[in-house]
Amino acid sequence: MSGLTKSELLRRLEVAGVRPSKALGQNFLIDANVAQRIAKLASGAGGRRYIEVGPGAGALTVALAPMAEAVLAIEADRYVIPILFDVLAQREISNVRVLHQDVMDFSWCNELDQGESYCLCANLPYNIAATLIVRILEEVPSIDRLVVMVQDEVGRRIASDPGTRQYSGVSAKVAYWATTKIAFSVSPSVFFPQPNVESVVIDVTRRAVAPISEATYGLFSDIVKAGFSRRRQMLRRSLAGIADIGILDSVGIEPSLRAERLSYLDFLKIAEALVESDRGRE
Ligand code: SAM
């Protein structure tokens, strides 16, 4: 199966009169080896179902489809979809279903088969990558793995550990749901147009989390948000109004620490202690 080369992409964009859109984060992959590497990493035991967000002209889709039982490709740009159909038809690929849709408005429960598990594999548009990854982990349990290319800075932030410079609210939230590995780095030279920054491919695997109530998860999110929105402040200040010193003491967390030192389990302990203390007051 031949990959999408730079000359084929440029020719097809020109014929269709499509200019890459910055707003849609359109940096198209023009290196078939990189596409193959991503698809191989995503392919698990074989015969799996994949979701690709933003297939564009199909550089990654043509690598993924032969390894898949089925691919659901969700693309927001109606102008690139005819190119994608053409690329797939020319390669006689028939297991890709293309939906013209903004993924941020996508109705996951209506479109995904209940009881199936999916891997999301994509070269994600940079402006929605972090938000989408967190949303999928929170709201779409049937997606149990994400193998995605993102900006280097975003990937490192998502995969970072407590106490590191990149550790943030997104890191803590993703860590609650999943384990993340940085698989490999990708140079700007393999995209058209070339972005200004490096990219990385990350491998996010959903973990089996102990069920907690929506209220506890809501508190966990609020605490993470409050802690990192004032990351230079000690917890006793940044969490004032949510969790007092008594709560922090009760779970053995030093109020003079900053949020960047806490693991997702620490944030969870604070949320659970708050729920318990509310119960005690009822
Ligand atoms: N997969 C292609 C490749 O690797 O060459 C294109 C990747 S490009 C970085 C991102 C793609 O996501 C573009 O095709 C863009 O139109 C699409 N896109 C951007 N925002 C989107 C959204 N909200 N929903 C669905 N697709 C989106």
Side-chain angles (χ1 to χ4, degrees):
M1 180 86 48
S2 67
L4 198 70
T5 60
K6 182 176 183 184
S7 58
E8 182 183 354
L9 175 76
L10 293 183
R11 180 173 52 76
R12 288 187 179 280
L13 290 176
E14 198 185 336
V15 170
V18 173
R19 287 178 51 194
S21 153
K22 236 184 180 177
L24 288 169
Q26 288 181 340
N27 298 102
F28 297 109
L29 195 53
I30 48 169
D31 185 321
N33 292 327
V34 174
Q36 273 295 331
R37 207 169 159 200
I38 298 171
K40 263 213 177 109
L41 177 67
S43 71
R48 291 208 43 174
R49 295 178 174 220
Y50 294 89
I51 294 161
E52 186 185 359
V53 172
L60 182 57
T61 325
V62 299
L64 203 52
M67 302 186 189
E69 187 184 313
V71 180
L72 174 64
I74 305 163
E75 173 57 61
D77 182 3
R78 70 187 164 102
Y79 297 106
V80 297
I81 289 178
I83 304 179
L84 175 64
F85 278 133
D86 228 42
V87 165
L88 297 176
Q90 201 197 37
R91 288 159 174 83
E92 296 179 2
I93 292 174
S94 57
N95 61 344
V96 179
R97 184 170 154 232
V98 180
L99 291 181
H100 173 217
Q101 179 103 47
D102 180 335
V103 72
M104 301 313 272
D105 301 329
F106 192 65
S107 171
W108 295 99
C109 11
N110 290 340
E111 295 291 346
L112 302 192
D113 291 336
Q114 302 301 317
E116 285 290 345
S117 69
Y118 296 83
C119 173
L120 189 148
C121 183
N123 169 16
L124 285 179
Y126 75 100
N127 52 337
I128 59 167
T131 310
L132 180 68
I133 292 168
V134 173
R135 192 183 285 185
I136 297 272
L137 290 170
E138 288 179 343
E139 296 176 10
V140 196
S142 53
I143 297 181
D144 58 14
R145 194 165 166 224
L146 299 91
V147 173
V148 289
M149 180 143 65
V150 294
Q151 277 186 306
D152 180 87
E153 181 249 325
V154 172
R156 293 191 188 279
R157 185 146 48 89
I158 287 173
S160 62
D161 290 324
T164 59
R165 188 174 47 81
Q166 295 106 327
Y167 189 63
S168 69
V170 170
S171 335
K173 274 191 166 185
V174 172
Y176 170 80
W177 293 106
T179 54
T180 303
K181 278 188 282 190
I182 297 203
F184 55 93
S185 297
V186 180
S187 138
S189 65
V190 304
F191 299 97
F192 173 80
Q194 278 194 29
N196 297 323
V197 293
E198 292 266 321
S199 300
V200 284
V201 174
I202 56 172
D203 187 348
V204 181
T205 305
R206 189 181 282 282
R207 46 167 126 236
V209 294
I212 57 169
S213 67
E214 251 179 59
T216 310
Y217 185 75
L219 271 171
F220 166 83
S221 298
D222 291 348
I223 296 163
V224 168
K225 189 170 172 202
F228 284 100
S229 59
R230 293 184 221 111
R231 64 182 294 146
R232 294 268 139 243
Q233 291 185 355
M234 295 176 190
L235 294 169
R236 67 164 164 257
R237 298 277 311 273
S238 61
L239 300 188
I242 303 183
D244 61 23
I245 294 182
I247 290 284
L248 296 175
D249 282 342
S250 74
V251 290
I253 291 175
E254 204 26 77
S256 62
L257 287 177
R258 292 175 177 149
E260 63 204 22
R261 309 298 306 187
L262 302 195
S263 71
Y264 77 94
L265 287 170
D266 294 327
F267 287 112
L268 193 59
K269 270 197 269 180
I270 301 172
E272 281 169 340
L274 278 169
V275 171
E276 273 310 305
S277 85
D278 276 356
R279 251 187 228 135
R281 275 194 221 115
E282 278 164 11

